[in-house]
Amino acid sequence: MKIRIGICLLFITAWVNCSVAQNDSIRFLELLNKYPLNASIEKKRDFVRELYDSIKENGNHQRTYYFLKTASRFFKEKNEVLTSGATLNYLGLFYNNIGKYNDAIQSFSSGISLLEEYKKKNENINETHLVLYLIYLNYGNTFYFLDEPNKALVYYKKALFELKNKTNLDHSDSLKIAQVFNNFGITYSLKKDNETGRYYFKKALEMNTQLRDSIRIANVLSNLASLHSNENEMDSALSKYFVVKQIYEKTQNKTDIGFINGQIASVYLDMNNPKTALSYALVALQYCDTTAYSHELVSTYDVLNKIYGKLLDYKNEVRFLRLYTAVSDSVNREETINEINRKELLLQFNTLHVTDSIKAAEELKRKDLSVQANKRQNYFLIIVLLLTFVALGLIYSRFKITKKQKGIIEIQKGIVDDKNKEITDSINYAKRIQNSLLPTEKYIDKTIKRLNKKST
């Protein structure tokens, strides 16, 4: 009975999700139909970014996902390559935020392939460089999250290359270059190359100071403070974190304020000052949205769990350990739901999926034919090699037999020669004996003459 109820609940949940997806898809298409086809690329990009930001702010990952997939299909049908590339970049960012890095890599790779082909036509070349910069930068971030700093550096360098290939660099481009330097610093710090990391942080800080961008200055200072903390230079880390805290508090960005208070709490915890750490961690918790997953929330629960452990407050230690575990588990459940929805959104993506399936089947068929051809070729080569080895074996065997026969013939020839020599020696010996027994011709002549005289 319980199994039947569970199955029914699963079907109801799937039906509700599909219904919600269908309604959201219709609403998103209505919004996308306002897309300014005849506007400049800047206005088109701003249109997509504003839609994405407004939907993302609600904190509903499923709706954000539905929007990005709907937008991706919409721009593909409209042949809006640059906007399609920007949408793939947002989709990759979305996957990064929920920890689905393999899907992020696929999205970024698709965007890069699309734009690199488009760039060959030299259309809107500066805008192409700009979108490619964003994709490469976020692609690098994916590998940074995966703790692969060497690969991250490759894509950060490609991002910098795209920026420097733009014509007429402006103020915003200088800010982007400073961002790349900041990312260089973070990545070299991850590689434990703190000297190089500090060098790029200082370059980023100098550029942002000249450009008078306080938020970016705060971001770089925060990374420098983290580097000081890793080197156990706690006083230097705290002094920079407090400067960052003042800047963030002026902007009144809750996420940034919660983040910096959590960082300060971590430093005080490392300094074995859990009471002071607790005051900052509780402030960080006040600025966290506890109804939705975020890296800041997970980090805050984690640091509070450790602080209460240091304070021997086991009740709160267990409480925040459970919260930390619950948030982590909810992330896994949410990722599972997103994975299911991604594969089963047949209502709005049926045609696309069928097309992709046909293409996939054709590709598999081509691969099978290629594999079969390779197998036949391999079998042919194996047979040729076997025949070659057999022929070589026969030749070698024949060579050995011939060599053996030659040896036998030489032995027999030697025997015959020896026999001939023996016979010849015997004949000569008999001849010498015969000659020694027979009288000489002179003796015979003398005897005949003497007999003749007697007869006369």
Side-chain angles (χ1 to χ4, degrees):
M1 184 66 179
K2 289 182 179 179
I3 295 174
R4 291 180 181 177
I5 293 172
I7 293 172
C8 290
L9 287 173
L10 283 174
F11 276 115
I12 292 169
T13 303
W15 179 78
V16 169
N17 284 335
C18 286
S19 298
V20 172
Q22 186 180 27
N23 292 333
D24 282 339
S25 181
I26 293 170
R27 178 173 172 271
F28 294 148
L29 284 172
E30 290 175 354
L31 293 172
L32 290 168
N33 282 326
K34 298 177 182 178
Y35 177 73
L37 276 171
N38 298 321
S40 65
I41 186 61
E42 291 86 356
K43 289 184 178 180
K44 290 179 179 180
R45 194 180 64 227
D46 291 342
F47 172 84
V48 177
R49 185 177 62 247
E50 288 170 4
L51 276 180
Y52 171 68
D53 289 341
S54 64
I55 294 167
K56 184 181 67 172
E57 283 175 3
N58 294 326
N60 188 318
H61 290 330
Q62 288 184 358
R63 293 190 71 234
T64 305
Y65 172 80
Y66 297 151
F67 166 72
L68 290 172
K69 294 297 286 187
T70 304
S72 179
R73 183 184 178 190
F74 176 85
F75 293 125
K76 184 178 180 180
E77 290 175 353
K78 298 292 183 183
N79 198 28
E80 290 287 306
V81 178
L82 288 176
T83 317
S84 184
T87 306
L88 287 169
N89 174 60
Y90 290 134
L91 186 59
L93 275 173
F94 166 79
Y95 284 131
N96 270 350
N97 290 334
I98 63 172
K100 296 180 72 65
Y101 301 121
N102 287 334
D103 288 320
I105 288 171
Q106 184 177 354
S107 296
F108 292 135
S109 298
S110 298
I112 290 168
S113 299
L114 183 69
L115 291 169
E116 286 292 351
E117 187 66 28
Y118 181 75
K119 191 165 64 171
K120 294 176 183 178
K121 301 175 183 178
N122 295 319
E123 297 178 16
N124 295 317
I125 193 67
N126 276 341
E127 286 299 325
T128 309
H129 284 309
L130 182 58
V131 180
L132 275 171
Y133 152 79
L134 292 170
I135 296 177
Y136 281 131
L137 189 73
N138 292 314
Y139 205 168
N141 291 341
T142 304
F143 287 111
Y144 174 80
F145 296 142
L146 290 169
D147 289 331
E148 295 191 29
N150 291 327
K151 289 184 179 179
L153 282 172
V154 168
Y155 288 100
Y156 290 151
K157 288 176 181 178
K158 287 185 177 183
L160 185 61
F161 174 81
E162 292 297 332
L163 275 179
K164 290 189 173 181
N165 275 276
K166 279 188 65 181
T167 56
N168 302 321
L169 294 176
D170 55 22
H171 177 271
S172 63
D173 295 321
S174 298
L175 288 173
K176 292 179 179 65
I177 292 172
Q179 178 64 50
V180 176
F181 287 153
N182 184 44
N183 286 20
F184 281 165
I186 296 171
T187 311
Y188 279 110
S189 298
L190 182 63
K191 287 165 61 72
K192 307 300 181 184
D193 186 354
N194 292 339
E195 184 178 353
T196 306
R198 189 178 287 104
Y199 166 78
Y200 280 109
F201 284 142
K202 288 182 177 179
K203 287 192 71 171
L205 190 60
E206 288 172 3
M207 290 186 69
N208 287 322
T209 302
Q210 291 175 357
L211 297 167
R212 298 180 180 180
D213 192 308
S214 60
I215 297 298
R216 291 175 183 268
I217 290 171
N219 293 340
V220 179
L221 286 174
S222 175
N223 292 326
L224 270 171
S226 178
L227 189 148
H228 287 309
S229 178
N230 293 336
E231 294 181 331
N232 206 28
E233 299 171 354
M234 299 305 180
D235 291 335
S236 297
L238 281 175
S239 64
K240 287 183 172 60
Y241 276 140
F242 280 120
V243 173
V244 175
K245 183 173 179 289
Q246 290 178 353
I247 296 172
Y248 284 164
E249 286 174 347
K250 288 179 181 178
T251 63
Q252 297 182 348
N253 185 303
K254 291 183 178 181
T255 302
D256 290 340
I257 295 171
F259 164 77
I260 200 62
N261 278 279
Q263 294 296 100
I264 294 171
S266 295
V267 174
Y268 277 119
L269 182 63
D270 291 338
M271 294 172 68
N272 202 24
N273 189 347
K275 289 185 179 179
T276 307
L278 179 60
S279 62
Y280 287 100
L282 290 173
V283 173
L285 184 60
Q286 290 176 6
Y287 284 95
C288 286
D289 181 1
T290 57
T291 63
Y293 165 78
S294 68
H295 294 291
E296 289 76 19
L297 181 62
V298 175
S299 177
T300 302
Y301 283 155
D302 184 37
V303 75
L304 279 167
N305 164 246
K306 292 175 181 177
I307 290 170
Y308 281 118
K310 287 275 188 179
L311 293 172
L312 305 181
D313 185 344
Y314 301 119
K315 182 179 178 180
N316 279 313
E317 180 187 11
V318 172
R319 174 193 169 202
F320 282 103
L321 177 61
R322 286 176 177 172
L323 287 169
Y324 172 77
T325 305
V327 172
S328 301
D329 290 343
S330 68
V331 174
N332 293 333
R333 286 197 298 271
E334 189 174 351
E335 289 182 4
T336 303
I337 291 169
N338 283 328
E339 183 68 16
I340 292 169
N341 288 331
R342 185 176 70 84
K343 292 179 179 179
E344 297 183 359
L345 291 178
L346 300 178
L347 290 174
Q348 64 269 45
F349 302 120
N350 187 50
T351 304
L352 180 62
H353 286 177
V354 169
T355 304
D356 290 343
S357 300
I358 292 170
K359 288 182 179 178
E362 291 176 351
E363 183 65 23
L364 286 173
K365 186 177 179 181
R366 283 195 296 271
K367 288 182 178 180
D368 288 339
L369 291 173
S370 177
V371 168
Q372 291 175 5
N374 289 334
K375 283 183 178 179
R376 286 195 295 271
Q377 186 177 6
N378 290 336
Y379 290 148
F380 176 75
L381 290 173
I382 290 170
I383 291 170
V384 170
L385 286 172
L386 287 173
L387 290 174
T388 303
F389 283 126
V390 170
L392 289 172
L394 290 172
I395 292 169
Y396 180 70
S397 176
R398 183 64 183 170
F399 171 76
K400 286 183 70 177
I401 293 170
T402 304
K403 186 177 180 180
K404 186 176 180 179
Q405 289 174 344
K406 184 179 179 181
I408 293 170
I409 291 169
E410 287 179 353
I411 292 170
Q412 290 175 346
K413 182 176 179 297
I415 293 170
V416 171
D417 289 342
D418 289 341
K419 293 292 183 182
N420 288 336
K421 186 178 178 183
E422 288 179 3
I423 293 169
T424 304
D425 290 342
S426 297
I427 292 170
N428 290 333
Y429 180 71
K431 187 176 180 180
R432 284 198 299 272
I433 292 172
Q434 184 181 11
N435 290 337
S436 64
L437 294 175
L438 292 173
T440 61
E441 290 181 358
K442 288 183 179 182
Y443 178 78
I444 293 172
D445 291 340
K446 285 181 179 181
T447 302
I448 292 172
K449 286 179 180 182
R450 186 167 49 83
L451 290 174
N452 287 332
K453 286 179 179 182
K454 283 183 178 183
S455 60
T456 54

